[in-house]
Amino acid sequence: QVQLAESGGGLVQPGGSLRLSCAASGSIFSLNVNMDWYRQAPGKERELVATITNAGTTTYADSVKGRFTISRDNAKNTVYLQMNSLNPEDTAVYLCHASWSFNRAYEYWGQGTQVTVSS
């Protein structure tokens, strides 16, 4: 059983920065695992924020391009989301997601970490 544990959320003022971390139990990063950050705000659908493939290719939602950076440390089985120039519209629960295929498809979700942007 794989577990994903997010950390780094909190309250930040508009224009501020936060760095989220997602640590995976087990050596899943040795697999061809893609890692994503999603977010879900109250009353809104879950939104894909950023993806990093096993090869290190990154993609971002238009709403965060130029402000957020996703990265991974395979040795630490950890993926990060650096968030800069935060605004109130970024307020949400941020969830880590892992997916890969090995004979069948696997996917796991973390519990999420709250990010609140407010003055």
Side-chain angles (χ1 to χ4, degrees):
Q1 183 71 16
V2 173
Q3 293 186 327
L4 303 176
E6 302 98 333
S7 61
L11 173 64
V12 63
Q13 292 187 341
S17 298
L18 282 175
R19 188 194 195 205
L20 306 183
S21 299
C22 171
S25 65
S27 299
I28 66 168
F29 280 39
S30 63
L31 305 171
N32 291 326
V33 57
N34 294 333
M35 299 297 300
D36 315 282
W37 284 98
Y38 283 76
R39 67 185 180 186
Q40 188 158 22
K44 294 187 177 181
E45 292 187 356
R46 188 169 292 185
E47 174 189 19
L48 176 60
V49 175
T51 296
I52 185 165
T53 69
N54 180 63
T57 302
T58 59
T59 55
Y60 299 92
D62 287 343
S63 58
V64 307
K65 278 181 183 177
R67 300 188 298 122
F68 290 12
T69 303
I70 188 171
S71 60
R72 61 194 287 165
D73 185 334
N74 290 342
K76 295 183 178 180
N77 289 314
T78 300
V79 63
Y80 306 97
L81 186 68
Q82 177 67 44
M83 307 186 295
N84 300 327
S85 302
L86 286 161
N87 58 62
E89 289 70 40
D90 296 315
T91 296
V93 174
Y94 284 71
L95 303 110
C96 182
H97 175 256
S99 61
W100 70 94
S101 294
F102 186 76
N103 295 325
R104 66 171 180 88
Y106 294 84
E107 69 168 347
Y108 292 92
W109 291 90
Q111 292 296 314
T113 185
Q114 177 69 47
V115 171
T116 303
V117 185
S118 175
S119 56

